[in-house]
Amino acid sequence: MNWLLSPLWLIALPLVSAPVVFMLRRRKRLACLLAALSMLSTLRLCLSMPFNWSLEVLGRDVLLHPSGRTFLASVFLLAALYLAYASYLHQGRAFSYLTPLIMGLLSAVTMVQSSEVAVLLLGIILMFTVLIVQTEATRPVRGAQYY
């Protein structure tokens, strides 16, 4: 099987789009819509790929089962809808460019057959999720001055 027809595109496409979205982070609406477009294109790729895609990377099998395909398709669709919705609302400064990064790693977790590698990737995903959840810096409150 050649590299043009490999399941690694489900991992690489969101990971490659994340730096592009990061460079456009000042234009929030454009960045969110570009991230949503990359999620939709990855969704299309996930649904249109044949069932016999498998690959061995560094001695580990990378394979997408039908249940993993359904899971990834639903997650990519929800992420695309949420990114399109987030282009109109403020979701935090890191939301638009960390979401494709997390989605690429989540597709890697779904396709890797080794549980040790999957747990390590889930730890990395959790680290990036914490960066999304943290709130914006607010000005300090001086409660004594209000009384």
Side-chain angles (χ1 to χ4, degrees):
M1 176 178 300
N2 66 18
W3 285 91
L4 293 176
L5 296 175
S6 83
L8 293 179
W9 285 108
L10 295 177
I11 301 169
L13 189 61
L15 292 180
V16 167
S17 70
V20 176
V21 173
F22 176 75
M23 288 186 278
L24 295 172
R25 72 184 183 279
R26 300 260 183 227
R27 297 182 179 187
K28 181 183 75 162
R29 186 165 291 157
L30 181 64
C32 283
L33 291 177
L34 181 67
L37 183 66
S38 76
M39 294 297 112
L40 286 176
S41 62
T42 310
L43 168 70
R44 167 104 166 75
L45 180 65
C46 180
L47 291 177
S48 67
M49 67 184 226
F51 281 105
N52 60 355
W53 272 8
S54 67
L55 190 64
E56 187 172 322
V57 177
L58 299 174
R60 304 287 184 183
D61 288 332
V62 177
L63 174 69
L64 186 60
H65 295 288
S67 60
R69 177 189 296 211
T70 305
F71 170 72
L72 279 181
S74 62
V75 168
F76 278 123
L77 179 65
L78 287 174
L81 291 174
Y82 195 57
L83 280 163
Y85 177 71
S87 66
Y88 295 102
L89 297 174
H90 181 68
Q91 297 294 328
R93 62 179 186 241
F95 177 75
S96 63
Y97 59 88
L98 285 180
T99 302
L101 188 68
I102 290 171
M103 295 303 296
L105 292 173
L106 186 64
S107 63
V109 166
T110 305
M111 289 188 291
V112 73
Q113 300 299 312
S114 171
S115 60
E116 295 89 8
V117 175
V119 168
L120 288 173
L121 288 173
L122 282 173
I124 294 170
I125 289 172
L126 182 63
M127 181 186 65
F128 286 126
T129 306
V130 167
L131 292 176
I132 288 178
V133 171
Q134 73 181 4
T135 60
E136 299 273 333
T138 59
R139 62 185 184 125
V141 178
R142 298 182 183 183
Q145 292 180 352
Y146 291 120
Y147 294 109

